[in-house]
Amino acid sequence: MPVPEGSDFPLQNLPYGVFRRAGEPARIGVAIGDHILDLDALQRDGLLEAGGRLPEAVFGRGSLNPFLTLGRSAWQSVRARVTELLEDRNHTVRDLPGLAGRALIEQSEVEMILPVEIGDYVDFYSSLEHASNMGAMLRPDGDPLPPNWRHLPVGYHGRAGSVVVSGTPVVRPWGQTVRDNGPPAFGPSGMLDFELEVGFIAGAPSALGAPVPIEEAPEHIFGCVLVNDWSARDIQRWEYAPLGPFLAKSFVTSISPWVVTLDALGPYFVPGPEQKPPVLEYLRSDRDWAIDLDLEVTLASQAMTEQGLEAEIISNTNLRTLYWSVAQQLAHSTSNGARVRTGDLFASGTVSGPRPGTYGSMIELTWSGERPLVLPDGSHRTWLEDGDTIAMHGVCGPAEGAPAVGFGEVRGAIVPSP
Amino acid sequence: MPVPEGSDFPLQNLPYGVFRRAGEPARIGVAIGDHILDLDALQRDGLLEAGGRLPEAVFGRGSLNPFLTLGRSAWQSVRARVTELLEDRNHTVRDLPGLAGRALIEQSEVEMILPVEIGDYVDFYSSLEHASNMGAMLRPDGDPLPPNWRHLPVGYHGRAGSVVVSGTPVVRPWGQTVRDNGPPAFGPSGMLDFELEVGFIAGAPSALGAPVPIEEAPEHIFGCVLVNDWSARDIQRWEYAPLGPFLAKSFVTSISPWVVTLDALGPYFVPGPEQKPPVLEYLRSDRDWAIDLDLEVTLASQAMTEQGLEAEIISNTNLRTLYWSVAQQLAHSTSNGARVRTGDLFASGTVSGPRPGTYGSMIELTWSGERPLVLPDGSHRTWLEDGDTIAMHGVCGPAEGAPAVGFGEVRGAIVPSP
């Protein structure tokens, strides 16, 4: 199977997504180069059963959930089988009469849809640099980090029903805001922001009342996606005390359509930052859980898009510095007995690095409006304007002996409030 | 159809629930006196079609969601038809050969299950008395209310996957807590609390990007349930800044099994408290939206249960004083373009009245431990102990010309951490 040089989706990746070709029902495939391997077609042809029986038409669905529920051994056996089918030395897909035509579809021909039915959506605050930046802006004279920050992965629940797939337009939200201590007014947000995040999607569920020990995290984490946690800072400032962000976040959250599996990320797990003070026992793991994932954010104004200018890279960072790991986030979230359900989304919180060009949000990049960005079309940006497009990309590697494993993109354009 | 005197479920109520008789699949019924009218059996017999066609087996399901999605006109036509079938002057159910035996089931014979698949769960903070009490305890020298409190219904997202039906045991959660500014420790919560709340369940969904105007709330609100938002105050104190409650709430949230419809509550909508300062336009409604619902909380220790002592009434209040109405909560929640999905649960936040005996949580009743409760078995309570059972009841009326409409109960017993 030929994969273009530099593709996000080599044989070692095989991320899962849900696609729809015009006039056909949605179904599940894995990305390979510029194509999608249609797993539903393969299963119908009896080509996926080598690794054990799968439920009938488990890939002929509009979401990954039924497959995710099966658990790690099913995920691994399908991955192994798909790898075998696509390997150069194996000609099954290429040579079986008609199979390539039916099972290999060009990505440009399909619409990608939300890959999972989201159960609960948790958003963390796990980047030390981001939390420190926010603290420095909000509490310039105090400790930038809340006292609990180094002891537990701070997080809160977001709105699962507002999670959409990449490409969905982002309608500028209305909300209550306050200026200069005046009375609140209701209108379109004037401080619209993005947040660069990476989220993991839960596979096999756990039971209520039974915390997931950190070493069992791989049984419950299926894979990862890019997340743009769009935020309205003016709404947030007025509403968030004392119970946290609500409408400032709940209007829309975008995710990338391809779920990159934990197995594909294998070569890119690296030691995370040292945690000082040491964390409590239930948050300790013997494994490396940080992910060496390069992340990039681009912004294109409507004028740039119309003039065919390339989108401006406004941030470049890496996920490996994230203070709290996905395994810690999962162990903490269930430590009180809460259960995980298939399709739950746990996002990292904004990923920021140590320098301005590595910050993962406008509020940090412009330092709350003090240092506007200048775009190639000559315009300035403190916050996002109507017509702006934000795209996020993520790639692991390449590393020695391991090709690059990419995440594709999550993209969204701001459209005016109606 | 004979209904016992003082039943929560007269002909004017007809709340919906999902029940399971041993060895049979779950299905949907309405409560009438001590019985359940099996709507699936009625539909199979063609007795529900008078008001228009319904999807096949829409009541032969494990959740109300497919029925709720149909919207208000379907809810009203089924209600009208069921009322007709059960009226004294109509002998259809009683007289059709064998129908009563098949379609009327004793409540004592069945297990009630969670009535809806919860989409998102939002928890508000809409009682002025509760918010003032919490503020007075947490900020004794400041304004007890946050500045935004009278301008918008403060709320946050809770964990939908932890919502369970009445009767489900409540496992005491573990979590991180801090004592006397020492380092955090991980262990069972020592400050377990209940919160008396009432929640509404969304019926017909709305679209992303399209706020629900307050006057359209009746299209999207199907009905109400009692909610016990169990809380671990020691976990909450340590974790909640700056993003709000997370694990202190997410271990379990209990709801009553019968969903009382907006139509049944009709006679009990009353004017709410005056809102000063006046609220913004999008939160103004011409209708009365406060609900005259008497609420009661009882506590029984394990010893009391074993000795057969009656549970102690520890709180008695009424929902009508709630500052923010369900319609305002819905309009606010969608004002930024967030959509409502069928099965979303919106809870009021703790309902407290103006005097100590009317407070809806242990932290208020004992004033953060200063005034322990004394139980009939001679024991004292600052927080809930293992073996304690909390039960909540709610009844509207009776009022002139309108019989009482009850909510049944939500009950839960604390079991020790494993």
Side-chain angles (χ1 to χ4, degrees):
Chain A
M1 183 64 219
V3 171
E5 182 75 24
S7 169
D8 273 352
F9 309 125
L11 183 61
Q12 290 76 5
N13 191 348
L14 304 179
Y16 289 77
V18 180
F19 67 96
R20 187 160 39 205
R21 202 148 57 162
E24 298 178 7
R27 52 196 194 274
I28 292 168
V30 297
I32 178 77
D34 296 334
H35 289 77
I36 297 172
L37 184 66
D38 179 342
L39 296 185
D40 186 45
L42 292 187
Q43 191 185 13
R44 281 170 198 274
D45 279 19
L47 288 170
L48 288 183
E49 304 298 329
R53 283 209 63 77
L54 292 163
E56 202 181 316
V58 72
F59 299 112
R61 312 292 185 95
S63 90
L64 289 169
N65 294 48
F67 174 57
L68 266 49
T69 304
L70 302 178
R72 174 147 299 277
S73 67
W75 312 334
Q76 289 186 324
S77 71
V78 171
R79 176 176 172 81
R81 179 61 180 153
V82 169
T83 302
E84 189 180 53
L85 289 171
L86 289 173
E87 267 169 346
D88 279 346
R89 59 192 154 81
N90 189 313
H91 293 179
T92 313
V93 173
R94 206 177 59 195
D95 298 347
L96 267 191
L99 180 61
R102 271 178 297 128
L104 276 173
I105 296 163
E106 291 201 29
Q107 285 172 30
S108 57
E109 273 181 42
V110 307
E111 174 196 8
M112 298 302 299
I113 65 178
L114 192 69
V116 287
E117 282 173 51
I118 311 288
D120 276 294
Y121 164 39
V122 174
D123 192 25
F124 287 96
Y125 192 55
S126 286
S127 157
L128 178 63
E129 294 77 7
H130 171 68
S132 301
N133 285 340
M134 296 302 283
M137 282 185 267
L138 294 170
R139 297 176 295 276
D141 301 320
D143 188 337
L145 288 182
N148 55 15
W149 199 92
R150 286 177 182 274
H151 296 281
L152 53 82
V154 169
Y156 69 104
H157 286 96
R159 190 158 186 85
S162 295
V163 178
V164 301
V165 75
S166 174
T168 307
V170 176
V171 180
R172 181 179 294 276
W174 283 50
Q176 280 197 31
T177 59
V178 163
R179 277 195 195 175
D180 307 324
N181 293 316
F186 184 65
S189 168
M191 297 170 70
L192 194 52
D193 202 350
F194 67 86
E195 289 192 341
L196 168 65
E197 307 197 9
V198 176
F200 72 85
I201 286 173
S206 68
L208 198 69
V212 175
I214 192 163
E215 297 305 347
E216 289 176 21
E219 303 303 313
H220 299 280
I221 299 178
F222 175 71
C224 294
V225 291
L226 302 173
V227 179
N228 185 345
D229 184 33
W230 305 93
S231 301
R233 301 296 178 192
D234 43 0
I235 298 174
Q236 186 171 357
R237 204 158 54 182
W238 172 235
E239 76 171 358
Y240 93 102
L243 297 181
F246 183 39
L247 299 188
K249 302 281 193 169
S250 70
F251 53 102
V252 69
T253 304
S254 305
I255 68 171
S256 53
W258 293 109
V259 186
V260 177
T261 65
L262 228 51
D263 290 315
L265 294 173
Y268 298 104
F269 282 104
V270 293
E274 192 189 358
Q275 295 185 310
K276 278 201 247 185
V279 298
L280 286 161
E281 178 67 27
Y282 78 102
L283 295 172
R284 286 184 212 151
S285 170
D286 294 332
R287 275 188 55 161
D288 290 336
W289 274 108
I291 304 171
D292 184 8
L293 170 60
D294 280 319
L295 296 164
E296 179 187 275
V297 183
T298 67
L299 194 167
S301 67
Q302 187 156 359
M304 289 166 66
T305 304
E306 285 166 5
Q307 293 162 31
L309 294 176
E310 205 174 333
E312 176 83 347
I313 297 172
I314 58 171
S315 181
N316 232 316
T317 187
N318 190 293
L319 188 65
R320 67 183 295 169
T321 59
L322 199 75
Y323 195 85
W324 294 101
S325 74
V326 292
Q328 290 176 320
Q329 290 166 351
L330 179 65
H332 184 63
S333 297
T334 63
S335 62
N336 66 347
R339 65 181 171 141
V340 168
R341 291 183 297 171
T342 300
D344 284 351
L345 171 65
F346 297 79
S348 57
T350 308
V351 182
S352 290
R355 291 176 312 283
T358 66
Y359 296 164
S361 64
M362 291 294 279
I363 194 171
E364 293 168 271
L365 288 167
T366 70
W367 209 252
S368 204
E370 285 178 21
R371 304 192 282 263
L373 301 181
V374 183
L375 299 184
D377 65 359
S379 65
H380 290 62
R381 282 294 178 286
T382 303
W383 306 105
L384 298 177
E385 296 191 359
D386 292 345
D388 284 355
T389 297
I390 290 285
M392 299 172 176
H393 297 87
V395 182
C396 293
E400 209 176 321
V405 165
F407 277 66
E409 71 168 9
V410 58
R411 171 185 295 267
I414 312 296
V415 301
S417 304
Chain B
M1 184 65 219
V3 171
E5 181 75 23
S7 168
D8 272 352
F9 308 126
L11 182 62
Q12 290 76 3
N13 191 347
L14 304 178
Y16 289 77
V18 180
F19 67 96
R20 187 158 42 204
R21 201 146 60 160
E24 297 178 9
R27 54 196 193 272
I28 293 169
V30 297
I32 178 79
D34 296 333
H35 289 76
I36 297 173
L37 184 65
D38 180 342
L39 295 186
D40 185 46
L42 292 187
Q43 191 184 12
R44 282 170 198 272
D45 280 18
L47 289 169
L48 288 184
E49 304 299 328
R53 283 209 63 76
L54 292 163
E56 201 181 318
V58 71
F59 299 111
R61 312 292 185 95
S63 89
L64 288 170
N65 294 49
F67 174 57
L68 266 49
T69 304
L70 303 179
R72 175 148 299 278
S73 68
W75 312 334
Q76 288 186 325
S77 71
V78 171
R79 177 175 171 83
R81 178 62 180 153
V82 168
T83 302
E84 188 180 56
L85 289 171
L86 289 172
E87 268 170 345
D88 278 347
R89 57 192 155 81
N90 188 312
H91 292 176
T92 314
V93 173
R94 206 178 61 195
D95 298 345
L96 267 192
L99 180 63
R102 273 178 298 127
L104 276 172
I105 297 163
E106 294 202 26
Q107 286 173 27
S108 58
E109 273 182 43
V110 307
E111 174 196 7
M112 297 304 296
I113 66 179
L114 192 67
V116 286
E117 282 173 52
I118 310 288
D120 277 294
Y121 164 39
V122 174
D123 193 25
F124 287 95
Y125 192 55
S126 288
S127 156
L128 177 65
E129 294 78 6
H130 171 68
S132 302
N133 286 339
M134 295 303 282
M137 282 186 266
L138 294 169
R139 298 177 294 274
D141 301 320
D143 187 338
L145 288 183
N148 55 15
W149 200 91
R150 287 178 182 272
H151 296 281
L152 52 81
V154 169
Y156 69 103
H157 287 97
R159 191 161 185 82
S162 295
V163 177
V164 300
V165 74
S166 174
T168 307
V170 177
V171 179
R172 179 179 296 274
W174 283 51
Q176 280 197 32
T177 58
V178 162
R179 278 198 195 172
D180 305 325
N181 293 317
F186 185 65
S189 168
M191 296 170 71
L192 195 52
D193 202 350
F194 67 86
E195 288 192 342
L196 167 66
E197 307 196 10
V198 177
F200 73 85
I201 286 173
S206 68
L208 199 68
V212 176
I214 193 163
E215 297 305 347
E216 288 177 20
E219 302 302 314
H220 299 279
I221 299 178
F222 175 71
C224 294
V225 292
L226 303 173
V227 179
N228 185 345
D229 183 32
W230 303 93
S231 301
R233 302 294 179 193
D234 42 2
I235 297 174
Q236 186 171 359
R237 203 158 54 181
W238 173 233
E239 75 169 359
Y240 94 103
L243 297 182
F246 182 40
L247 301 186
K249 302 282 193 167
S250 69
F251 53 102
V252 69
T253 304
S254 305
I255 68 171
S256 53
W258 293 107
V259 186
V260 177
T261 65
L262 228 52
D263 290 314
L265 294 173
Y268 297 105
F269 283 102
V270 293
E274 192 189 358
Q275 296 185 308
K276 279 202 244 182
V279 296
L280 285 162
E281 178 67 27
Y282 77 103
L283 295 171
R284 287 185 210 149
S285 171
D286 293 334
R287 275 188 54 163
D288 289 335
W289 273 109
I291 304 171
D292 184 8
L293 169 60
D294 279 318
L295 296 163
E296 179 187 276
V297 182
T298 67
L299 194 167
S301 68
Q302 187 157 1
M304 289 165 66
T305 303
E306 286 166 5
Q307 292 162 32
L309 294 175
E310 204 174 333
E312 176 82 349
I313 296 171
I314 59 172
S315 181
N316 231 316
T317 187
N318 190 295
L319 188 65
R320 68 182 296 168
T321 60
L322 200 73
Y323 195 84
W324 294 100
S325 74
V326 292
Q328 290 177 319
Q329 291 166 350
L330 178 65
H332 184 64
S333 296
T334 63
S335 62
N336 66 347
R339 66 183 172 141
V340 168
R341 292 183 297 171
T342 300
D344 284 352
L345 171 64
F346 297 79
S348 56
T350 309
V351 182
S352 290
R355 292 176 313 282
T358 66
Y359 296 163
S361 64
M362 290 296 278
I363 195 170
E364 293 169 271
L365 289 166
T366 71
W367 208 251
S368 203
E370 285 178 21
R371 304 192 283 262
L373 301 181
V374 182
L375 298 183
D377 65 0
S379 64
H380 290 61
R381 281 294 177 285
T382 304
W383 306 105
L384 298 176
E385 297 190 0
D386 292 344
D388 285 354
T389 297
I390 291 285
M392 299 171 176
H393 296 87
V395 183
C396 293
E400 208 176 320
V405 164
F407 277 66
E409 71 168 9
V410 57
R411 170 185 296 267
I414 312 295
V415 303
S417 305

